[in-house]
């Protein structure tokens, strides 16, 4: 009687472990799919792939503009802010080009180097932009990214999804997938050993 209870408990434990392993594999596949349709397209579409050195030529704060500067935008998403323009000398080609914070900055407003998030406090936005401008004037040389193919003449300060960020995004689902497969393999080995012991 006790042996039957032990066998039943063992089978239940194996079933739960197998369900856990399959659940981890399923969740990891869903995470792979989500990353594949969100982050990967932004990484592959970005043309600013080569890192170089930029030297600041001038950093000016222009009059207030509306953000974002794109068609089909709702009025509630439009807000005024000071326009910061940072012109740099691209070391790779020697050209004078406009610097943008990220790829998204160029899409939101191609006239400005920095686009702040929507904020009700305009004084904080103005102070932040003035701080950024003073930092550019203080640190004249810094790494930036440009388009080696020449499609985009502008440069960006940082990529939204660099290679390290992409690899880090794939790290967690990979660990989950590996752990799920390991659990399934261990359960199958346990079942095989149990069957082999029963035959003996």
């Amino acid at each position: 009687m006790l042996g039957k209870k032990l066998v039943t408990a063992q089978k239940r434990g194996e079933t739960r472990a197998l369900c856990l392993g399959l659940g981890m594999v399923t969740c990891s596949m869903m995470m792979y799919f989500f990353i594949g349709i969100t982050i990967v397209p932004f990484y592959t579409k970005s043309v600013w792939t080569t890192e170089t050195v930029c030297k600041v030529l001038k950093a000016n704060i222009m009059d207030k503009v509306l953000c974002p500067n794109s068609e089909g935008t709702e009025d509630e998403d439009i807000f005024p802010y000071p326009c910061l323009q940072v012109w740099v000398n691209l070391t790779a080609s020697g050209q004078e080009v406009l610097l943008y914070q990220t790829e998204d900055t160029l899409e939101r407003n191609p006239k400005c180097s920095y686009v702040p998030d929507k904020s009700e406090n305009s004084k904080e936005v103005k102070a932040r932009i003035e701080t950024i401008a003073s930092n550019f004037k203080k640190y004249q040389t810094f790494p930036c990214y440009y388009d080696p193919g020449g499609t985009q003449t502008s440069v960006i300060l940082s990529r939204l999804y660099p290679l390290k960020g992409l690899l880090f995004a794939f790290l967690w689902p990979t660990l989950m997938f590996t752990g799920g497969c390991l659990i399934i393999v261990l359960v199958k080995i346990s079942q095989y050993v149990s069957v082999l012991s029963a035959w003996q």
Side-chain angles (χ1 to χ4, degrees):
M1 188 69 179
L2 183 61
K4 290 183 178 180
K5 289 183 178 180
L6 291 175
V7 171
T8 303
Q10 183 180 3
K11 288 184 177 180
R12 288 180 180 176
E14 291 176 349
T15 302
R16 291 175 181 175
L18 190 62
C19 290
L20 176 62
L22 292 174
M24 292 175 64
V25 171
T26 304
C27 289
S28 64
M29 296 304 293
M30 293 176 63
M31 292 175 66
Y32 278 130
F33 177 76
F34 179 75
I35 295 172
I37 63 175
T38 55
I39 299 179
V40 173
F42 284 104
Y43 176 79
T44 55
K45 289 179 181 178
S46 178
V47 295
W48 294 273
T49 56
T50 305
E51 185 175 351
T52 185
V53 177
C54 288
K55 184 177 181 181
V56 176
L57 297 176
K58 53 185 177 180
N60 301 324
I61 300 178
M62 314 299 291
D63 295 333
K64 286 188 176 182
V65 296
L66 296 179
C67 174
N69 187 19
S70 58
E71 298 179 358
T73 305
E74 298 180 2
D75 293 337
E76 60 182 12
D77 294 331
I78 298 177
F79 61 97
Y81 64 93
C83 181
L84 172 64
Q85 289 185 344
V86 180
W87 292 91
V88 298
N89 183 15
L90 187 61
T91 305
S93 61
Q95 296 177 334
E96 181 180 341
V97 295
L98 184 61
L99 174 74
Y100 296 98
Q101 184 184 12
T102 61
E103 301 95 329
D104 184 59
T105 307
L106 178 61
E107 294 181 1
R108 294 180 64 185
N109 195 338
K111 296 180 181 179
C112 303
S113 299
Y114 173 76
V115 177
D117 295 331
K118 185 177 180 181
S119 175
E120 297 179 359
N121 193 340
S122 59
K123 292 183 179 180
E124 291 182 0
V125 174
K126 183 179 179 181
R128 190 183 310 117
I129 292 177
E130 289 177 351
T131 302
I132 294 173
S134 63
N135 288 335
F136 275 116
K137 293 177 182 179
K138 183 179 180 181
Y139 303 100
Q140 293 285 317
T141 305
F142 52 88
C144 58
Y145 295 89
Y146 75 101
D147 176 19
T151 307
Q152 292 286 345
T153 56
S154 58
V155 295
I156 61 174
L157 180 62
S158 60
R159 301 183 65 181
L160 279 175
Y161 301 104
L163 181 59
K164 290 182 180 179
L166 187 66
L167 294 177
F168 184 76
F170 278 107
L171 175 63
W172 298 111
T174 302
L175 292 176
M176 185 179 293
F177 180 81
T178 305
C181 291
L182 184 61
I183 291 175
I184 294 173
V185 170
L186 291 176
V187 170
K188 293 299 182 182
I189 291 175
S190 176
Q191 291 176 348
Y192 176 76
V193 171
S194 298
V195 173
L196 189 63
S197 300
W199 275 98
Q200 291 179 352

